[in-house]
Amino acid sequence: MITQSIQFSNGTTLPVIAVYGKNELIQNAYRECFEIRFSIGDVTLEGLSSLAEPENLSELILTERDDETDEITAQFSHYNFTIVTGMGMKTAPEDGSKFFFLSVAQRSDSELLMERLERDNEDIQSAL
């Protein structure tokens, strides 16, 4: 059996039920978005809320592991998913089970460039 986990930028690793990706219009831009689903037994809503901060979402590492061999079968790094678009508890329509979810969207390259230019400008202004 293959299990999945996600590691946040602060080093916290949690098992996940599933991660769904899609493109969606968020803040007037089409963005790559993830809905990350967690078992209610693996995290609390308060714990999830504390992870839903930009500094914890700058790099997300998704790992798939074969439980029988303990071998990593796939690993993916995703960067700049720092826009939180939703968080809470849902009920799966397939079987009625409840789960927590965290929905995030990726910041665009132009947004990251503007942020870096603003920081550089502030550094120059403070040096003068």
Side-chain angles (χ1 to χ4, degrees), residues 12 17 63 86:
T12 300
I17 298 170
T63 302

Side-chain angles (χ1 to χ4, degrees), residues 19 32 34 40 42 47 50 80 109:
V19 178
E32 183 68 26
F34 289 148
I40 289 179
D42 292 328
S50 70
N80 302 311
D109 290 338

Side-chain angles (χ1 to χ4, degrees), residues 27-70:
Q27 297 177 349
N28 296 322
Y30 282 97
R31 302 173 186 277
E32 183 68 26
C33 299
F34 289 148
E35 180 180 272
I36 309 162
R37 295 182 177 186
F38 302 91
S39 170
I40 289 179
D42 292 328
V43 67
T44 64
L45 195 55
E46 293 80 20
L48 195 55
S49 180
S50 70
L51 290 170
E53 297 293 331
E55 61 270 12
N56 296 331
L57 301 169
S58 60
E59 181 181 14
L60 301 174
I61 301 172
L62 301 173
T63 302
E64 293 181 357
R65 184 179 300 274
D66 184 324
D67 288 343
E68 291 179 15
T69 64
D70 200 36

Side-chain angles (χ1 to χ4, degrees), residues 106-117:
Q106 189 175 40
R107 293 182 64 201
S108 69
D109 290 338
S110 58
E111 288 171 319
L112 295 169
L113 176 61
M114 287 300 296
E115 183 179 285
R116 190 175 74 228
L117 290 173

